[in-house]
Amino acid sequence: MDQKEKTILFLSPVFKQMIWGGERLETDWHYEIPGPGTGECWAISAHPNGDCVVREGEYAGKTLSQLWEEEPALFGNFENAESPKLDRFPLLTKIIDAKSDLSIQVHPDDAYAKAHENGSLGKTECWYILDCAPNATLVIGHNAKDKDDLTAMIKEGRWDEFIREVPVKKGDFIQVDPGTVHAIKGGIMLLETQQNSDITYRVYDYDRLSDGKPRQLHVEQSIDVITVPARPAKDCVKEAADLPKDERNLLISCPYYQVWKIDVEKGISFPQDRPFLIMSVIAGEGKIGGQPIHRGDHFILPCGYGEVALQGQMEIIAASI
Ligand code: ZN
């Protein structure tokens, strides 16, 4: 079959305005954003709060959640799967533009979310830093040594002692397991790959007001789910800016997803052997098969797509289950 005829599901992103958001999704990424303070681009999402629509081709106009229901063969036929993880499109890819700091938060694991959040899924997520200021930091982990220490620090609001900031730079990759205290700091743009879930416990919000009121905190749930002690800081951040060219470089493999970075220089070709493969072009431009793609494009290669041929000068973050 001619490469050009193979189905690629190009998606139109959904944008979210946030109190901490900026304008860079328009100024740097040339998306049409709803206005100032746009913090999130939901680039590949079937979540009810932001369900992406297919941009072109035979499925144009359909939402990703609709396709998951109606065309299960595109995604490897999980319609009869018993795992609750697969009763919906399981992943969510976002670009985040943090003009100011996000709240300090933590996500539950599947078991806790199932018991305490009406059967919801927990949330595991990971970040690829697209851009940040020199000497940027983000919050990953905490400094409490045991549960009593943790409880005291949170209840007494000893945030400077509690919060662990680690330095990051463009091209760093960070896996955020459930139970990990985390926060994106102002000035950071990143690509997030996560489980399709929205259960977040806010530990601390810098005493900020949103519409005149502080946003809700979830102190007890946070204390329940935070892992103590935290993983050592040096194990949390992985350099991924300069990986071997024209290869699929695995950044993480966990029970919920695998994520790869592909830096295309001379070209790479490999079989699409996953149930489906998500791709986000984060730099440069090139072609997939015969079709032009460029920075800011997000798409899904369905099950049975066949040989994936990438050419051009570009960087791609790919993910699958
Ligand atoms: Zn999070």
Side-chain angles (χ1 to χ4, degrees):
M1 194 201 273
D2 181 357
Q3 284 275 358
K4 274 185 184 165
E5 290 170 15
K6 296 206 261 186
T7 298
I8 300 175
L9 304 171
F10 284 95
L11 298 171
S12 297
V14 174
F15 297 91
K16 300 280 178 182
Q17 288 175 288
M18 302 284 181
I19 56 168
W20 44 261
E23 289 75 44
R24 295 179 66 186
L25 287 164
E26 179 172 289
T27 55
D28 290 5
W29 287 78
H30 311 295
Y31 292 120
E32 265 183 55
I33 61 173
T38 298
E40 298 190 346
C41 162
W42 292 24
I44 297 176
S45 165
H47 195 281
N49 295 341
D51 202 352
C52 294
V53 171
V54 178
R55 184 175 91 185
E56 60 190 57
E58 70 172 298
Y59 301 109
K62 298 222 180 225
T63 62
L64 184 52
S65 68
Q66 223 178 335
L67 276 189
W68 179 261
E69 292 291 322
E70 294 171 7
E71 306 284 349
L74 292 173
F75 308 98
N77 283 310
F78 281 112
E79 76 273 32
N80 296 320
E82 285 180 17
S83 163
K85 278 183 266 179
L86 295 168
D87 64 356
R88 68 203 86 175
F89 185 77
L91 300 179
L92 176 47
T93 302
K94 295 180 186 177
I95 298 179
I96 291 180
D97 171 19
K99 189 172 182 177
S100 51
D101 299 348
L102 275 71
S103 61
I104 312 282
Q105 49 183 251
V106 63
H107 305 295
D109 61 14
D110 287 343
Y112 189 92
K114 187 170 187 233
H116 298 269
E117 303 289 348
N118 297 319
S120 288
L121 296 177
K123 184 161 151 188
T124 301
E125 66 191 39
C126 62
W127 299 333
Y128 180 87
I129 308 286
L130 297 166
D131 196 25
C132 61
N135 307 315
T137 63
L138 49 72
V139 174
I140 186 96
H142 59 80
N143 297 311
K145 56 185 189 306
D146 55 34
K147 206 81 178 178
D148 289 344
D149 203 19
L150 174 93
T151 308
M153 283 181 176
I154 291 178
K155 296 218 159 154
E156 293 161 20
R158 287 149 55 198
W159 305 116
D160 288 348
E161 258 178 280
F162 175 67
I163 291 163
R164 187 177 74 189
E165 289 191 30
V166 300
V168 288
K169 59 189 180 307
K170 186 174 172 172
D172 282 348
F173 176 79
I174 300 117
Q175 167 81 347
V176 183
D177 288 318
T180 306
V181 174
H182 61 283
I184 300 168
K185 305 272 290 180
I188 291 178
M189 286 210 79
L190 57 80
L191 183 110
E192 179 174 81
T193 305
Q194 56 163 83
Q195 270 179 282
N196 180 2
S197 154
D198 227 2
I199 308 288
T200 295
Y201 298 140
R202 205 175 278 131
V203 186
Y204 175 53
D205 198 25
Y206 309 97
D207 304 311
R208 287 184 293 201
L209 300 180
S210 171
D211 298 325
K213 296 188 293 285
R215 294 192 293 175
Q216 192 192 355
L217 300 180
H218 310 89
V219 172
E220 295 306 329
Q221 295 97 320
S222 298
I223 292 170
D224 278 352
V225 306
I226 292 171
T227 304
V228 198
R231 256 169 90 196
K234 65 172 175 39
D235 298 343
C236 294
V237 181
K238 180 174 182 172
E239 289 187 24
D242 200 17
L243 297 172
K245 309 292 183 201
D246 302 313
E247 281 184 31
R248 278 177 289 171
N249 298 291
L250 184 66
L251 299 179
I252 187 77
S253 179
C254 75
Y256 304 101
Y257 48 72
Q258 283 91 51
V259 176
W260 298 266
K261 174 122 187 283
I262 306 172
D263 291 347
V264 183
E265 199 174 70
K266 294 192 174 74
I268 170 177
S269 175
F270 57 90
Q272 202 306 61
D273 54 4
R274 315 297 306 180
F276 58 88
L277 187 63
I278 282 175
M279 287 192 170
S280 295
V281 184
I282 58 166
E285 59 185 6
K287 282 183 175 175
I288 181 162
Q291 199 152 346
I293 49 174
H294 58 81
R295 180 174 182 258
D297 280 336
H298 306 268
F299 51 89
I300 302 173
L301 303 181
C303 189
Y305 174 84
E307 199 69 8
V308 183
L310 298 169
Q311 285 173 313
Q313 300 283 320
M314 58 186 171
E315 295 176 28
I316 289 173
I317 299 288
S320 188
I321 55 172

